[in-house]
Amino acid sequence: MLRYILRRLAWSVPTLLLVTFLVYIALRVGTDPVESYKRVNPRASRAKIQQYIDINGLDPNFVQGYFKWLKNFITGEWAPSIKGRREVWPALKDAMANTLRLGTAATVVGIFFGLIAGVLAALRPGGRRDVFINTSAFVGISIPPFISAILLQLLFAVYWQKWFGASLFPTSGVYPAGHTGFDLFLMLKFMALPTIIVAIQIIATYSRYMRSSLLDVLNSDYMRTARSKGISERRILIKHGMRNALIPVVTIAALDVGSIVGGLIITENIFAYPGMGLYFLKSFGEGDFPLLMPWMVVIVASILLFNLIADISYAWLDPRIRLE
Amino acid sequence: MPGLTQGFALSEQNENVLSPRQMALRRFVSHKAAVVSCIIIGVLTLFVILAPFTARYGVNQSVQAPPNSFLSPRSNAWLGTDDIGRDLYSRLIYGVRVSLLIGLASAIISVTLGALVGAVAGFRGGKFDDILMRVTDLFLAFPFLVTLLVVRNVLGGLPWLKPITGEMNSVRFIIVLFSIFGWMGVARIVRGQVLSLKEREFVEAARAVGASRRYIIVRHLLPNSIGPIMVALTFSVVGAIISESTLAFFGYGPQAGDGATSLGILVGAAKGAVQTGFWWLAVFPCFVLIIIALSINFIGDALRDATDPRLDRGA
């Protein structure tokens, strides 16, 4: 097991390099970083531009440029952002913290309710409850997150205020303007709507996964064996059913991180929530290469990490899977 | 008792034998939501094709002389007007027209491409197959919007692609972009199908009588995968329509040249309408988008059930 993990870890380093190289090329072709710099600093001297090119590794030769960028990235010599010449790391760190908070909240809420809904649906397949849960999940998957965001915003923030005097949930930011310090209650209130919107998608997806996975398990031979041994139905469901049904679900959960981040980007933008999504859209819109590259590295690294977790958890949960 | 009734149904079916196509049709019709969805989409398509008659105003025409902006729904503007006094109802019809065009065109291109690539990859296997699956894995693992935006810019940044893609904010560009994205998912599905089909006897028989690879793919493998391909086609249409709206929502969609519009542009305008309380600008476009997405998804779902005989639910 340990050897397997180590080997997988060793493999992910070249993968990370390759993917970031591709991203580097894509960003250079797509956003033309030197042009963006000149656009923001129209009167920059030739020496300034050369310095910008050097520190970001924007040589005409993509391979050389990439390695130059990589060297500066690893040694911690990050270029400041084009716009406003801000330090990149503090901005990225804040964005990561905010997104991690929102993402974790939404994932926990989403998976919890998704699994419960899936189990309830699978217990009596074809029943009224099953049809209801299945249809709701179908509707939930079909509605794109920005649509539900607009409609919920309209209902809970704007019209609630009209009808009842005060809006139920605020619609932007982490704290009201001018707020300093830490306030858990206020933060939860601000996070409520974005969390719900991301969680809806997760609930819908996971209730379907859980349902089909549990149905497979419930029809298997070892369940019949367990029943014939006279174990109580409840115990059978929890010890034999749930445990085995969760194996594929856990794996999918770990692989799904990309789509959760995708939902977060959209939601964060609508609610002006200062996380990774807002960070990306802002810096992408401005073609801000020094801000974009580290963001991409973080995203690629976390996708690889969760892939690794998926593989490991699969092997760990299901000993039948032997890894060669 | 369910065993008994099933037995009855079977013997009954044996008397008047149904072709697989009839069976599929019967299963499709038994999916009530899908039938309703077909009707909805049919009516919508009719409305959109007959746009010159069904729309009350031109795309860019205002409903009355100023003051005409942000009128709430009323008799001369059933769904209200937008910021410069244009009728939302008419604009929705024109917008859905463009969106359906984008959805259909990019779905057809990407499904054709994906089916061919997937069939060849699944049939030949080897290096081509390996590389293809790696690339699709990579693309599909990334957050969708990020890949879409980055690839969009790369496409726009390559001058030698201009003759194919057109201007970056044109409808044609969007179709090319979605086709480039869409084929990967389809290729995967068809590849999986072909992998299992190619081990079957009829393929072996075809090979034994000396059929060429191309003949086997075109005459045996692709027709036998038509079910999953059709399902992929419906889901691609929804995918493209929603992607277009998403892009437009974030300001990267097709531009409203000459006042032309799309569902995405209308939904994008909803973002600004939320805070100001012009609810009709937000509710109606969102509602139309939800209806379209749900209906086509239901149709795809029913198609999947109908064309996959293993999933017979006895209905």
Side-chain angles (χ1 to χ4, degrees), chain A residues 103 105-115 195-209 256 259-260:
Chain A
T107 313
V108 169
V109 171
I111 289 188
F112 179 73
F113 286 106
L115 294 188
T195 307
I196 291 172
I197 283 153
V198 181
I200 287 176
Q201 302 272 318
I202 302 176
I203 293 174
T205 320
Y206 283 94
S207 67
R208 280 162 72 106
Y209 286 152
D256 229 21
S259 73
I260 292 178

Side-chain angles (χ1 to χ4, degrees), chain A residues 19 22-23 26 29-31 138-139 142-144 146-147 150-151 153-154 158-159 162 171 258 261-262 265-266 269-270 280-281 284-285 295-296 299-300 303, chain B residues 138 141-146 149-150 153-154 157-158 242 245-246 249-250 252 267 270-271 273-275 277 279 282-283 286 289-290 293-294 297-298 301 304:
Chain A
V19 177
L22 293 178
V23 168
V29 175
T31 57
F138 195 81
V139 174
S142 302
I143 299 178
F146 65 94
I147 295 285
I150 291 179
L151 295 179
Q153 225 178 25
L154 193 68
V158 180
Y159 272 83
K162 253 185 201 169
T171 53
V261 172
I265 291 178
I266 294 171
N269 178 271
I270 294 169
F280 169 76
L281 282 171
F284 186 78
W295 188 90
M296 289 288 184
I299 293 293
V300 175
I303 289 173
Chain B
L138 190 70
F142 250 84
F144 178 69
L145 188 65
V146 175
L149 288 182
V150 171
N153 270 16
V154 171
L158 298 173
I242 289 182
S245 308
T246 315
F249 188 83
F250 292 105
Y252 293 99
V267 173
K271 190 165 43 167
V274 167
Q275 298 297 338
W279 58 270
V283 169
C286 290
L289 186 64
I290 290 176
L294 258 184
N297 271 337
F298 270 127
D301 198 41
R304 177 161 50 199

Side-chain angles (χ1 to χ4, degrees), chain B residues 111-263:
Chain B
V111 166
T112 316
L113 206 67
L116 283 177
V117 174
V120 172
F123 192 56
R124 296 191 59 161
K127 272 236 170 68
F128 179 62
D129 189 35
D130 275 352
I131 293 173
L132 184 78
M133 285 303 117
R134 285 283 154 79
V135 172
T136 46
D137 274 346
L138 190 70
F139 262 85
L140 298 176
F142 250 84
F144 178 69
L145 188 65
V146 175
T147 339
L148 200 59
L149 288 182
V150 171
V151 173
R152 174 186 175 273
N153 270 16
V154 171
L155 273 188
L158 298 173
W160 44 270
L161 270 179
K162 251 295 130 68
I164 310 174
T165 56
E167 285 305 314
M168 224 167 142
N169 41 26
S170 65
V171 169
R172 186 161 65 155
F173 184 87
I174 299 284
I175 293 176
V176 173
L177 177 64
F178 290 168
S179 307
I180 288 174
F181 262 86
W183 68 268
M184 286 183 284
V186 186
R188 257 177 174 216
I189 295 168
V190 174
R191 172 183 173 270
Q193 185 78 6
V194 164
L195 274 183
S196 75
L197 279 177
K198 75 172 181 185
E199 304 298 332
R200 300 266 287 274
E201 290 84 356
F202 65 92
V203 175
E204 209 174 324
R207 221 183 270 156
V209 296
S212 69
R213 260 200 281 223
R214 199 171 129 187
Y215 184 87
I216 294 179
I217 289 180
V218 174
R219 296 304 291 267
H220 290 292
L221 296 178
L222 283 179
N224 272 297
S225 326
I226 194 71
I229 292 177
M230 288 297 293
V231 175
L233 185 72
T234 43
F235 288 134
S236 306
V237 175
V238 191
I241 291 177
I242 289 182
S243 307
E244 188 267 331
S245 308
T246 315
L247 274 187
F249 188 83
F250 292 105
Y252 293 99
Q255 287 306 302
D258 299 329
T261 185
S262 77
L263 207 45

